[in-house]
Amino acid sequence: MTAEVITPRRAGSYPIRIGIPFAVVMLLLAIGPLVGLPKFLQSLVVEILTFSLLALSLNVLLGYTGLVSLGHAAFFGVGGYALGIIASRFTPDIAITLPAAIAATVLLAIPVGWLSIRLSGFYFLMITFAFAQMVFVAAFRWKRLTGGSDGLIIPAPTLFGVPVLQGSQQFYFFTLAVFAICCVAMFAVVHSQFGRTLVGIRENTARMRAIGYNVRRYKLAAFLIGAAFSGVAGVLNALFNLFIAPESAHWTQSALVLVMVLIGGAGFFVGPIVGTAIVIALQYWLSSYTEYWGLVLGLLFIVLISGAREGVTGLLVQIYRRSHRATP
Amino acid sequence: MLEFLTVQSLNGLVYSMVLFLLALGLSLTFGLLRVVNLAHGAFFLMGAYFGTTVWGLTHSFWAAVVIAPLGAALMGGLLEKLWLQRFYVRDELDQVILTFGFALVFSDLMKVLWGKDIRGFPTPSAFSGAVEIANISFPSYRLLLILVGVALFVITWLAIERTRIGALIRASVADRVMVSGLGFDIRLLFTIVFAFGTGIAGLAGVLGAPIMGIYPGLDFEVLITTLIVVVVGGLGSIAGAFWASLLIGMAETFGKALVPEVASFIIFALMAGVLLIRAWGRDEEEVE
């Protein structure tokens, strides 16, 4: 999918060029509630940020390493379930539940990733799909642990015994902060030496192996990073709803994240964020036609592959470049 | 105990043969066109719905069995001719996403056209009875399905190994540029094979309808199982698809009867296991 997509060339100023708009947007979002951003828009922003994080984490694999996973929601689900189970059985203290949930996600990702990276292309897609469906079946059937199809109600979080993240306002700022930190961390990862090695593996695995890189170790590292941030997104989602159900790990959820990344454009760091915003906005807009949501997604896929394989971000960049060439 | 084993084995065989009809088309299409057609399940359901419509008009099961697969084949041929053909030069995953898009669109269109209720489909009167096998009476229609599956396996295998068009298909799998250079219309061949594959999926739909029922969402259910079969059997291999159908069909049938909670777990684990065995000790790009 991404074989021909070229990574943004990094002129020296690249992190600044993307960093300033990012900081501005974050700042605008931060002052939003203070100047009267309506409640429903706030929860829409929280949802977009949470799923953007999930889509960004998938793009570490898809866009940068060239591994198309159809099982990424498994880690999203496991993060949420781990948080829910620890919170309802031991303590809802987020100083414990947050790190423990992310650790649980990574612990699961180690064997899954170690095995999955032995395959590539369509087979990688199928094996990640298989592992994710196993997680889904476990969440669905292991009633004593997960509550089965009824889902799991999560007790409200505390911090050192004090209730926190109670109002939607507090949660809004919490999500924004977590998103900003994770975003910067992922940006740093994919634009480091390590990230460039991943792109090298995507472009020509055999050559990278011949040069002497331990390709599998890099792929596994990318897989674990993707899974960890997916777990963070799962934790945010679980804390937002204070509820988690098996559907969050279902393959349709994985497919939806894949759509978000592809619609936004896998070749761009901000692509997944753009894609997530579009998909979630569409979901809200078309909420009275949810029966035929599949039709909308399907048409989006067909249009995307037929006309705009670099996603909406790719289209915007093309338009921008053309307009700049026209007026020198 | 013995009765349980016999009944479940026969049911497993029936299910395996429906799976094989599905896997046959998918595997053949992949072998020749190198396209993993994720809309394959949609053609199964389409065949079943075409069948109900034809049955509603004619009240003839056999008319449905003939017309429904032809309808599915026509739709498949059109899809290939009008849309997919332009995307063969693309990355394999582009085609995966494109056909998945069509799968979603077809799925919702069928919901619009045929509604969301579960539909039944009567077995033909000639096969409504039962046959005694080892003191167990087994519906004769199910036995017919087993025969159809085995017959199609033999016929397709012979057609590919022993006929001229089969030779052409094998040659195109090996080197399509050379075949088209020799003056054969390879585009037409692609369309025909794609239409054949979707037609067989439609046949599986109409034949399987009396025992499986017809309902929205069935398309993705069978798609997932078929993908597992095809991956386990090896993409592009007809014999592989046959044996993998038996393995997965039996595993799922016995799984559902013995440990219903984890039946779907078993087939996913089987697929992961087979993939890993095939991949072990190789570089990841070399796994076939």
Side-chain angles (χ1 to χ4, degrees):
Chain A
M1 175 66 208
T2 48
E4 291 161 39
V5 180
I6 294 160
T7 41
R9 275 165 290 274
R10 275 159 301 276
S13 64
Y14 183 72
I16 299 169
R17 261 195 3 242
I18 197 166
I20 290 172
F22 177 75
V24 169
V25 170
M26 285 294 115
L27 211 63
L28 282 177
L29 286 177
I31 56 174
L34 308 176
V35 295
L37 187 70
K39 273 271 180 329
F40 84 95
L41 275 182
Q42 286 185 30
S43 60
L44 191 66
V45 170
V46 166
E47 201 178 331
I48 290 178
L49 292 180
T50 306
F51 283 92
S52 289
L53 198 54
L54 179 60
L56 282 168
S57 73
L58 175 62
N59 203 33
V60 173
L61 282 178
L62 175 69
Y64 291 89
T65 322
L67 293 170
V68 185
S69 164
L70 189 54
H72 205 61
F75 304 113
F76 181 73
V78 166
Y81 268 110
L83 180 109
I85 290 164
I86 297 165
S88 57
R89 304 216 163 187
F90 304 105
T91 167
D93 196 317
I94 54 171
I96 293 168
T97 54
L98 274 186
I102 295 159
T105 314
V106 176
L107 269 180
L108 176 76
I110 290 172
V112 170
W114 188 73
L115 292 170
S116 301
I117 51 156
R118 278 149 215 285
L119 296 150
S120 67
F122 180 67
Y123 289 119
F124 180 81
L125 188 144
M126 287 305 288
I127 199 167
T128 49
F129 171 64
F131 282 127
Q133 282 302 90
M134 291 186 209
V135 169
F136 171 75
V137 173
F140 199 76
R141 297 289 186 181
W142 198 350
K143 285 211 169 66
R144 264 184 302 168
L145 191 67
T146 64
S149 55
D150 297 337
L152 191 67
I153 293 169
I154 301 169
T158 60
L159 182 60
F160 306 125
V162 184
V164 285
L165 306 179
Q166 298 299 318
S168 62
Q169 197 99 318
Q170 267 191 38
F171 195 80
Y172 178 89
F173 288 116
F174 176 69
T175 308
L176 195 61
V178 172
F179 175 79
I181 293 166
C182 292
C183 227
V184 171
M186 273 190 270
F187 187 85
V189 166
V190 298
H191 289 91
S192 64
Q193 184 85 39
F194 170 77
R196 287 188 209 190
T197 312
L198 294 184
V199 173
I201 290 171
R202 182 194 80 194
E203 291 299 319
N204 197 330
T205 313
R207 188 176 292 172
M208 291 301 275
R209 197 180 287 120
I211 296 172
Y213 283 98
N214 188 336
V215 166
R216 287 219 173 127
R217 197 174 292 169
Y218 278 90
K219 280 188 177 176
L220 181 59
F223 196 94
L224 293 183
I225 291 167
F229 284 108
S230 174
V232 175
V235 162
L236 282 180
N237 185 50
L239 282 175
F240 178 58
N241 297 313
L242 292 180
F243 175 74
I244 177 107
E247 280 67 38
S248 60
H250 195 246
W251 73 268
T252 45
Q253 180 70 59
S254 296
L256 191 65
V257 192
L258 205 54
V259 178
M260 289 168 171
V261 175
L262 293 172
I263 286 177
F268 304 89
F269 184 79
V270 295
I273 306 175
V274 174
T276 307
I278 292 173
V279 169
I280 289 183
L282 267 179
Q283 263 175 342
Y284 264 70
W285 185 44
L286 298 172
S287 57
S288 41
Y289 307 95
T290 39
E291 270 185 83
Y292 302 115
W293 177 233
L295 187 68
V296 177
L297 278 188
L299 289 174
L300 267 176
F301 269 148
I302 295 169
V303 170
L304 186 78
I305 296 296
S306 308
R309 354 195 355 256
E310 293 188 32
V312 173
T313 317
L315 277 181
L316 292 177
V317 168
Q318 264 178 24
I319 292 166
Y320 174 82
R321 286 202 185 128
R322 225 169 272 165
S323 68
H324 269 242
R325 224 171 289 147
T327 51
Chain B
M1 184 60 207
L2 188 67
E3 188 183 319
F4 169 81
L5 273 180
T6 320
V7 169
Q8 291 303 330
S9 304
L10 284 169
N11 281 336
L13 264 181
V14 174
Y15 183 54
S16 301
M17 287 307 114
V18 175
L19 282 182
F20 171 66
L21 294 189
L22 277 157
L24 175 64
L26 194 63
S27 203
L28 206 60
T29 309
F30 179 82
L32 183 63
L33 284 65
R34 314 304 293 176
V35 172
V36 182
N37 177 21
L38 294 191
H40 204 67
F43 289 101
F44 173 90
L45 193 55
M46 206 183 282
Y49 277 131
F50 283 159
T52 57
T53 302
V54 173
W55 195 85
L57 292 173
T58 63
H59 286 273
S60 158
F61 180 83
W62 304 109
V65 165
V66 173
I67 296 173
L70 287 178
L74 181 70
M75 294 298 290
L78 283 175
L79 174 67
E80 200 275 347
K81 187 93 197 147
L82 298 179
W83 212 287
L84 295 186
Q85 202 155 70
R86 287 184 282 142
F87 295 92
Y88 291 146
V89 289
R90 292 279 193 84
D91 203 75
E92 128 190 301
L93 285 159
D94 275 23
Q95 292 157 357
V96 167
I97 293 156
L98 187 66
T99 55
F100 188 61
F102 278 105
L104 290 169
V105 170
F106 286 153
S107 184
D108 274 10
L109 286 182
M110 286 190 281
K111 246 189 255 171
V112 175
L113 287 173
W114 282 282
K116 282 177 283 188
D117 302 328
I118 298 181
R119 285 173 179 236
F121 198 75
T123 48
S125 50
F127 290 93
S128 56
V131 180
E132 288 271 320
I133 303 169
N135 300 325
I136 296 152
S137 67
F138 196 73
S140 56
Y141 181 73
R142 295 185 175 227
L143 286 181
L144 175 73
L145 277 190
I146 298 177
L147 287 179
V148 169
V150 175
L152 261 169
F153 172 49
V154 175
I155 291 169
T156 322
W157 189 82
L158 282 177
I160 292 207
E161 296 297 324
R162 295 279 182 274
T163 66
R164 193 175 152 76
I165 190 155
L168 195 57
I169 290 174
R170 276 180 291 133
S172 308
V173 168
D175 191 341
R176 55 167 86 165
V177 179
M178 183 62 80
V179 172
S180 83
L182 288 171
F184 293 100
D185 187 352
I186 198 159
R187 294 201 156 200
L188 183 66
L189 185 70
F190 278 20
T191 310
I192 290 169
V193 167
F194 196 87
F196 176 76
T198 53
I200 295 286
L203 180 68
V206 70
L207 286 179
I211 55 171
M212 296 168 83
I214 313 170
Y215 50 92
L218 182 63
D219 44 352
F220 285 102
E221 268 177 48
V222 298
L223 172 70
I224 288 171
T225 320
T226 310
L227 280 173
I228 293 174
V229 167
V230 171
V231 165
V232 167
L235 280 162
S237 158
I238 290 172
F242 186 76
W243 300 117
S245 301
L246 283 176
L247 177 68
I248 299 294
M250 287 294 181
E252 197 172 345
T253 307
F254 275 95
K256 272 184 180 153
L258 296 170
V259 277
E261 297 82 22
V262 292
S264 51
F265 200 94
I266 294 171
I267 57 169
F268 284 112
L270 254 175
M271 174 172 76
V274 168
L275 276 176
L276 287 170
I277 290 169
R278 223 181 282 153
W280 216 260
R282 296 187 187 193
D283 287 337
E284 50 267 33
E285 309 90 78
E286 288 167 5
V287 179
E288 279 290 320

